[in-house]
Amino acid sequence: MSLFKQKPKTEREKVEERREEVLAHGRKFKYPLQYAKHKLIINTVIVALVALVLMIVAGWAMLYKFQDTGDMIYRVTQVLPVPVAEVKGAKVRYSDYLMIYRSNLMTAEQQGGQLGTGEDADAVRQMYKQAALYSAVEYTYAMQLGQELGVAVSDAEVDKAFEEHRKVGGVERSEEGFLKILRDNFGMNKSEYRRMLYLSLMKAKVAQEVDTPAKEQADEVARIVAENGGDLHAAADELGLTGYEETGRLVDNMNVDGGRSTIAMTLEPGQVSEKFLSSNGDGYYFVKLNDKTASEVNYASLKIDFSKFDEMMAELYADDEVEAYIDLDGDEEDV
């Protein structure tokens, strides 16, 4: 017999006790669900991180080990500014390299047929890759020098060059027709071609800006021509210049010749032009008109090539200030 008789529970205590029992049963379902949800989030994050790492590794391998040049990897490089090389601390855009390579290769295949497979075809592709990488390095260095020298290329200048190319040869092409030519022959759309024009114009401007010797030679040519009655050939001989040429006959005034025919049409017979920049930006021209009709010209010309920029590039390679991130010739440290 118990010494202490248990006091009967009140109705309120019974209700509270029942309430705790119900809550305890609920916790058995609630907390395992929270734990599962928490674990699911962690697993999802881990899977996402692993997938991201695998994508980065795969992308790196496609770019730097296998050197994929296909459409997909090209579009990726246009979105992500990954480098293909470095010149004096400036990163060379992989997309510029691929743009140049793909365009040059397509042009070659349009003219000579598909390369196909085999060692000879692979050797030709390697040659085009090396040339494209060298050009991309040049353009990047030109942009770097342009920033230092205050040289810039405006959108208006690119627009003007685009229009000039659209009308090259005196043919009035529609923009749609011109873009089809770019797509079919160079594999480029409008934005890519404008990028190519920008790079070319920047390099030409910088090459002109740094080439003091070419400016001095041009001044000497102008002085000699003024003194000898416009004899360009004599000026070339006196200065030891090798860029003297004559058409020897009438040629079309829209001839693709660096802009010489266009300038010649503005002259009178026997007149010599002032120096002007060649249309591809690789030097100065002087032109003397011999004869012309309404649509043809006969002229002599003297070209002064820009060489300083090329010398600066050669010095960069000699000083190991150019580093390639892809191996095109068995040496990953050089282009």
Side-chain angles (χ1 to χ4, degrees):
M1 181 176 182
S2 176
L3 297 176
F4 301 98
K5 189 176 182 180
Q6 190 173 13
K7 184 180 178 180
K9 295 180 181 179
T10 64
E11 288 300 320
R12 182 172 182 178
E13 288 174 334
K14 291 178 181 179
V15 170
E16 288 293 329
E17 187 177 278
R18 181 58 182 165
R19 179 173 175 276
E20 284 300 320
E21 289 177 2
V22 172
L23 290 176
H25 281 290
R27 292 189 191 101
K28 292 180 182 180
F29 296 97
K30 176 182 178 183
Y31 289 112
L33 183 61
Q34 286 184 328
Y35 173 77
K37 184 177 180 182
H38 182 65
K39 187 176 181 180
L40 179 63
I41 292 173
I42 292 176
N43 290 341
T44 301
V45 171
I46 292 174
V47 170
L49 289 175
V50 170
L52 179 61
V53 171
L54 290 176
M55 287 177 60
I56 292 173
V57 172
W60 177 89
M62 295 298 286
L63 287 169
Y64 300 109
K65 182 174 177 61
F66 302 112
Q67 298 175 29
D68 187 0
T69 61
D71 290 341
M72 185 186 74
I73 205 71
Y74 177 43
R75 300 308 171 197
V76 169
T77 62
Q78 288 180 313
V79 176
L80 301 176
V82 292
V84 69
E86 182 177 326
V87 52
K88 207 173 182 181
K91 302 296 184 182
V92 181
R93 287 170 53 171
Y94 213 119
S95 57
D96 286 342
Y97 155 69
L98 285 180
M99 177 180 67
I100 298 166
Y101 167 71
R102 287 160 56 91
S103 175
N104 290 346
L105 184 64
M106 183 171 184
T107 301
E109 289 184 333
Q110 287 284 342
Q111 297 172 352
Q114 296 292 318
L115 288 179
T117 59
E119 291 185 2
D120 290 341
D122 289 342
V124 172
R125 290 188 181 91
Q126 284 298 95
M127 179 187 68
Y128 278 109
K129 286 180 179 180
Q130 290 170 340
L133 185 56
Y134 188 87
S135 294
V137 169
E138 280 192 319
Y139 289 136
T140 301
Y141 184 53
M143 288 188 288
Q144 184 184 47
L145 280 179
Q147 289 182 335
E148 296 173 2
L149 299 171
V151 175
V153 174
S154 67
D155 289 341
E157 289 174 298
V158 175
D159 291 340
K160 180 181 178 183
F162 185 88
E163 287 302 304
E164 289 174 351
H165 284 214
R166 183 171 67 84
K167 300 175 182 178
V168 70
V171 180
E172 185 68 29
R173 303 176 184 85
S174 67
E175 182 171 312
E176 181 180 354
F178 183 55
L179 292 178
K180 186 177 186 303
I181 292 174
L182 295 180
R183 183 174 60 254
D184 293 345
N185 293 278
F186 303 101
M188 288 185 171
N189 57 34
K190 185 175 182 179
S191 63
E192 290 166 341
Y193 196 67
R194 285 178 60 85
R195 172 69 178 175
M196 194 71 247
L197 289 174
Y198 169 80
L199 294 173
S200 300
L201 290 170
M202 178 59 78
K203 180 186 171 184
K205 277 193 169 187
V206 168
Q208 181 182 13
E209 182 69 21
V210 301
D211 209 321
T212 302
K215 293 178 184 177
E216 293 174 347
Q217 284 185 325
D219 291 341
E220 281 297 295
V221 169
R223 179 186 63 78
I224 295 170
V225 166
E227 293 175 354
N228 69 14
D231 192 339
L232 279 179
H233 193 274
D237 287 344
E238 183 174 336
L239 296 174
L241 301 175
T242 60
Y244 180 81
E245 292 182 13
E246 295 180 2
T247 59
R249 59 183 178 84
L250 290 168
V251 297
D252 193 280
N253 68 335
M254 299 302 292
N255 192 40
V256 181
D257 55 10
R260 288 173 286 177
S261 295
T262 302
I263 295 296
M265 280 297 291
T266 66
L267 305 175
E268 296 300 324
Q271 185 180 4
V272 179
S273 72
E274 296 181 350
K275 78 171 188 290
F276 62 93
L277 186 65
S278 66
S279 60
N280 60 3
D282 63 350
Y284 294 118
Y285 274 123
F286 288 88
V287 169
K288 179 179 180 178
L289 179 66
N290 296 323
D291 190 19
K292 69 177 178 179
T293 65
S295 61
E296 296 179 313
V297 286
N298 179 344
Y299 64 81
S301 66
L302 177 58
K303 185 179 183 182
I304 301 171
D305 290 309
F306 294 146
S307 60
K308 183 64 177 176
F309 182 80
D310 291 337
E311 293 171 4
M312 295 170 72
M313 285 299 306
E315 290 176 5
L316 290 176
Y317 282 104
D319 295 339
D320 291 328
E321 293 196 75
V322 178
E323 180 183 3
Y325 298 156
I326 56 176
D327 181 11
L328 297 179
D329 54 9
D331 185 352
E332 295 184 1
E333 297 300 322
D334 299 310
V335 174

